[in-house]
Amino acid sequence: MAKSIYGVSGTCESYLIFRGETALGDGLRTFLYVVVLAYCFLGLSAITARFFLSMENVVKQTRAVVEIDPQTNAETVRHVKVWNYTIADIALLAFGTSFPQISLATIDAIQNIGNLYAGGLGPGTLVGSAAFDLFPIHAVCVVVPKAGELKKISDVGVWLVELFWSFWAYVWLYIILEVWTPKVVTLLEACLTVLQFGLLLIHAYAQDKRWPYLSLPLARTERPEDWVPAEATPCKQDNKSYNEYSEIFQAGEEDSRNIVDIFSIHSRNGAAESSGRHVHNEFVFEEDHVISIWKQQFMDALMLEDTESRKLNNKYMRVARIFWQLLLAPWRFLFAFVPPYQIAHGWIAFILCLTFISGIAYIVTKVTDLISCVTGINAYVIAFTALASGTSWPDLVASKIAAERQTTADSAIANITCSNSVNIYVGIGIPWLIDTAYNFIAYREPLRIQNSTGLSFSLLVFFATSVGCIAVLVFRRLTLGAELGGPRLWAWLTSVYLMLLWIIFVVVSSLKVSGII
């Protein structure tokens, strides 16, 4: 976060866009910044939904494997998936939704090069983000399935491995800051922090493949063949009409269109193949077709009234819907520049979505810093609440979409646990590695951590409340047979309980860092 600037009279001299903001009253400035923050959350919701769709197409990518029958010499071509789903959950979903923290902390570290003290976006923000991931996101996901619908983790072994590395990440953080080298970080510690992300990937993959000696002897229940099952994305093959591929970006919108890649197209059973000479016409999207889809995105972005709005009989509801579309129009037009995810297996859309997510998250950090400056609220309290929720908002939206679209709870819950791991191993490991390497070469000095008051206490509170969270998930698995969904009453009771745990964490941690307790 940027440093707050105070004038002689004690007023906050920092501003977001215009210097004239400092002439406004503190109450009005706080209100305006909160409105901007809420609007940024709306944008993060919309672009994260698009990010999830692009990632679906990335995960669906396959490669052709030619098998020759030794007796008849006949060639058989089958398509195998490129991505392992466990690795996709960690390296794509969790890494992608944690990209705001990673990019902001890395930028902060680059700007901080040459300083013996670490930048402001440090452990406090990440602990708050971990709490937001674990409690509010679980609270949302548990009520997402329809009433009575149960969604359980199909591979408990992989979840336990991910859970172990998630908790170990914060134990490791505590060891670095309070035990091994108190209040300083060495180059060795930074290197070990980053390397543990690789160990997480290897261990999770070993558990998924049930490697001997490296995996837990836990059976895996049935899980769908596809990362997002076909029934969640009904096939629509009428490529003569481009309107069905038009995309209206709304927060939380469920997309039910078929995802077709113009570079590698085949059916689920591998009957259709994409090669230089032989491609089934009914699945082919030529370049002008993709351009038409992209053009339609901009047309949709400027459309204030859709088919559903015109069907509304209540004029007040219709006006309210038009107002909502008008409110979303700037975000929708901006995100229309993201190319259709039918191109290059969705990679271009995936990368551009991450870029937009990081840009919005940067604005969120600036706004939350201004709120702290104007109101005088302790920066750590802001980090635990507004900043943590702002940078973790993509995690919330992605987990919610995964809980809606997938038939199991694996990806929704894996995104939560793995995002916490990624935040430490990569989100704080990379920035520390940059600064400690420079300090070691230039000064032969370690990186010092300032403003660490109350951090160890917050970690202890986080561990205590997280035990309560994991306990209720285990209890639901033993009694209801699933972690998410179930009878509406029990789902909502679980959600309220998890939110109470988050409130306890925020209140107790805030009182400690504010010196009240």
Side-chain angles (χ1 to χ4, degrees), residues 110-288:
I110 293 173
Q111 293 175 340
N112 195 59
I113 283 180
N115 194 332
L116 290 177
Y117 286 89
L121 193 62
T125 303
L126 294 173
V127 173
S129 178
F132 187 88
D133 285 349
L134 195 63
F135 304 126
I137 298 182
H138 268 123
V140 171
C141 289
V142 79
V143 297
V144 163
K146 299 176 182 178
E149 183 182 9
L150 293 170
K151 294 190 177 183
K152 65 179 181 179
I153 298 172
S154 64
D155 198 332
V156 176
V158 169
W159 176 67
L160 289 176
V161 168
E162 294 167 344
L163 188 65
F164 164 77
W165 284 99
S166 175
F167 275 93
W168 167 250
Y170 291 88
V171 173
W172 173 249
L173 179 63
Y174 184 88
I175 291 173
I176 290 177
L177 297 179
E178 299 294 335
V179 180
W180 192 353
T181 53
K183 294 180 175 55
V184 300
V185 180
T186 64
L187 180 59
L188 175 60
E189 291 170 335
C191 290
L192 291 176
T193 301
V194 176
L195 288 175
Q196 287 181 72
F197 179 67
L199 295 178
L200 163 62
L201 291 172
I202 294 172
H203 195 184
Y205 185 78
Q207 179 64 44
D208 182 76
K209 294 299 183 181
R210 298 302 190 269
W211 288 357
Y213 308 111
L214 292 178
S215 61
L216 300 172
L218 297 174
R220 178 193 294 122
T221 58
E222 292 184 7
R223 65 179 180 182
E225 180 182 353
D226 292 325
W227 195 70
V228 174
E231 56 266 23
T233 55
C235 186
K236 296 181 181 180
Q237 300 178 5
D238 183 11
N239 60 2
K240 295 180 181 180
S241 173
Y242 307 127
N243 289 335
E244 68 185 41
Y245 294 99
S246 64
E247 299 173 348
I248 300 177
F249 303 114
Q250 298 181 13
E253 179 185 16
E254 289 190 35
D255 191 297
S256 61
R257 292 176 297 276
N258 185 41
I259 299 176
V260 185
D261 194 301
I262 66 169
F263 290 166
S264 177
I265 308 166
H266 52 80
S267 63
R268 289 185 62 202
N269 58 13
E273 302 175 21
S274 175
S275 62
R277 298 179 181 178
H278 179 69
V279 180
H280 287 269
N281 292 332
E282 61 268 23
F283 287 100
V284 174
F285 271 87
E286 298 178 357
E287 291 185 7
D288 57 335

Side-chain angles (χ1 to χ4, degrees), residues 16 27 41 61 89 105 132 190 223 241 244 256 282 292 300 323 432 486 516:
L16 182 62
F41 285 176
Q61 180 182 350
D89 284 339
F132 187 88
R223 65 179 180 182
S241 173
E244 68 185 41
S256 61
E282 61 268 23
S292 298
D300 289 340
F323 175 77
W432 277 357
I516 299 176

Side-chain angles (χ1 to χ4, degrees), residues 388-456:
S389 59
T391 55
S392 297
W393 198 256
D395 290 316
L396 171 61
V397 178
S399 288
K400 175 181 177 293
I401 295 173
E404 288 172 339
R405 294 172 63 81
Q406 296 187 336
T407 57
T408 69
D410 291 76
S411 293
I413 295 180
N415 181 50
I416 297 170
T417 54
C418 294
S419 290
N420 286 345
S421 301
V422 171
N423 282 346
I424 298 299
Y425 301 137
V426 182
I428 203 170
I430 296 292
W432 277 357
L433 184 59
I434 293 172
D435 285 342
T436 55
Y438 184 90
N439 287 1
F440 179 79
I441 295 172
Y443 312 120
R444 298 291 175 178
E445 290 282 344
L447 180 68
R448 294 181 173 87
I449 305 298
Q450 59 184 352
N451 299 326
S452 60
T453 304
L455 177 60
S456 57

Side-chain angles (χ1 to χ4, degrees), residues 490-512:
W490 288 108
W492 278 106
L493 286 176
T494 304
S495 181
V496 170
Y497 168 76
L498 293 173
M499 289 302 298
L500 284 175
L501 289 178
W502 182 62
I503 292 172
I504 290 172
F505 167 81
V506 170
V507 171
V508 175
S509 298
S510 299
L511 292 176
K512 180 65 176 180

